[in-house]
Amino acid sequence: MAASRSPGPRTGADSARARPQPRPGTPFQRIRWFEVQRPCLGLFGHLAFPFCIAGRRTTSLGPTSLGRRELSVSVAVTGATGFLGLHLVRELLRHHNRVLLLSRRNTVPAEERVTRFLQASGVTDTRLLELTPRLTSVDIDVRVPQLGLGDAAFQQLADRIDVLWHCAGNISFSDCDEDVWRTNVDGMRHVLALVSAGRREPLVCHVSTVAVAGGRRHGTVREEELDASHGFQTLYERSKYEAEVLLRRWVRLHGGRAAVFRPSGLITHHPTYPGRPRHLLQMAAEACAAGLRMFPELAAPDGSLRVPAAEGAQTNMLPVEHAAFAMVEAVRRRPPRDIDTYHVVNSRNTPMTEVAAAIAGHLDTPEVHLDPRPGPPVSPAVQAVSREFGMYTRWLQVTRRYDDTNLAALGLSYPGRPTVDRDYLRDCLR
């Protein structure tokens, strides 16, 4: 089946767009028709968000068997030093002579952070000497116009990009974090300004999330759907939805080309190293540990926990290594003509009982009971935990699944090995 080419979302696509107009003569004049107004915080509908985490695949770092055209393509990656971004860079190095790292200024340069990751991935020192000259970087800030660059630097950057992988994002679950909207929505607007300003008409590969399904808890979410009718519980989910709206409008009105990738929970079972970005399963385990420290009365006398959950609660998790491979390979096998959308997911959902068992083992908690039966009145401690860590507890109310027809048509569905079960998840928490 051909990749979906939806002209836009079915509902909620035309949110208000009253924003200050750009100065005459700037690149933003060309795309101000897709600007979106910031939402009022706290007015979202109901949602349970399946986490976005990561896993593993070993690859050669080529380039191998490449045509002259592919070698010469200029590829840039925003968010190149994030959890998924690092894996994308590794995959892109297999197919391109050079990769441009676009990331926020840090005390550790982007090239050095990528080098640390490659070393931790088992790349030899000899191979690193060959790879590092193929990495260059530009310090940017997607939250501000022109990515924080001057006019000349911005135009120079725009003119050198053939393919832009937009991986930068803020995954904070706080509705009080204004940086979420600035990074995810304003960031998309500023990235589209960049690709609109250059001479090369680049392909945009946007990393979205299955969380754009919003408050939908059950059933199967199709790749062609972008539906706000179920509402949003967090600013993060709303912001990723609005970013897709912007991108689809840009493709439709500007004549651009894009691939939208919606990964599920990306995890990895490979050991961490100093400075590696955390994945969300690690963050969830840390939240559980913090909740128990704050409210020790939540535990039963034997140390076990009873947690309310929906019958058959499940989530979708995928090794990050396969996700990065499938994304890069999908664009190689089917270059988009307008816009293609892919769910990058595991064909097997993971029962939340297995997730709970893995976290309990990591925390040395005797057992976590997921109980779908109505319980006694909620205690003040449980109410406080729901307020403090509500995003994590909402995972326990979800049973939805995801269609991955488009990746399957390219032979890129997850092969199912390694199996994402409690043993694999425990390895992810080492």
Side-chain angles (χ1 to χ4, degrees), residues 4-125:
S4 62
R5 304 184 186 280
S6 170
R10 299 184 309 184
T11 63
D14 295 320
S15 54
R17 293 179 291 280
R19 292 179 59 85
Q21 296 299 308
R23 301 189 316 272
T26 70
F28 304 100
Q29 280 186 307
R30 303 173 60 180
I31 54 170
R32 59 189 176 204
W33 25 259
F34 61 69
E35 295 180 345
V36 180
Q37 188 179 40
R38 299 173 186 267
C40 296
L41 304 186
L43 297 181
F44 312 124
H46 300 291
L47 163 75
F49 167 62
F51 32 73
C52 295
I53 342 176
R56 171 83 180 178
R57 170 190 179 92
T58 53
T59 59
S60 165
L61 291 179
T64 58
S65 303
L66 302 179
R68 190 171 301 171
R69 164 63 182 159
E70 189 168 21
L71 283 169
S72 64
V73 168
S74 178
V75 179
V77 185
T78 70
T81 56
F83 182 63
L84 174 58
L86 289 167
H87 291 84
L88 281 173
V89 168
R90 185 177 65 181
E91 287 295 326
L92 290 167
L93 284 169
R94 297 179 61 234
H95 305 294
H96 302 281
N97 268 335
R98 302 189 69 83
V99 176
L100 176 60
L101 314 174
L102 303 179
S103 60
R104 294 176 65 174
R105 184 179 300 276
N106 189 286
T107 55
V108 180
E111 293 96 332
E112 184 174 335
R113 284 177 278 169
V114 171
T115 299
R116 285 182 187 175
F117 166 73
L118 295 175
Q119 287 175 319
S121 300
V123 177
T124 65
D125 291 342

Side-chain angles (χ1 to χ4, degrees), residues 213-227:
R216 181 172 179 176
R217 297 188 178 188
H218 313 295
T220 299
V221 181
R222 302 293 174 186
E223 287 169 311
E224 66 271 14
E225 296 177 6
L226 185 60
D227 184 358

Side-chain angles (χ1 to χ4, degrees), residues 305-375:
L305 293 171
R306 177 191 172 277
V307 181
E311 184 76 40
Q314 54 191 276
T315 190
N316 194 284
M317 291 184 286
L318 181 70
V320 67
E321 293 82 4
H322 176 80
F325 163 77
M327 291 179 191
V328 172
E329 194 64 18
V331 173
R332 295 183 69 233
R333 295 185 187 185
R334 185 190 295 278
R337 292 190 299 271
D338 40 47
I339 187 164
D340 294 344
T341 303
Y342 299 93
H343 281 164
V344 186
V345 297
N346 195 331
S347 58
R348 174 189 182 269
N349 269 9
T350 302
M352 289 304 297
T353 52
E354 296 184 10
V355 178
I359 292 177
H362 177 70
L363 300 179
D364 291 326
T365 299
E367 193 169 2
V368 176
H369 303 281
L370 300 185
D371 193 348
R373 298 170 301 174

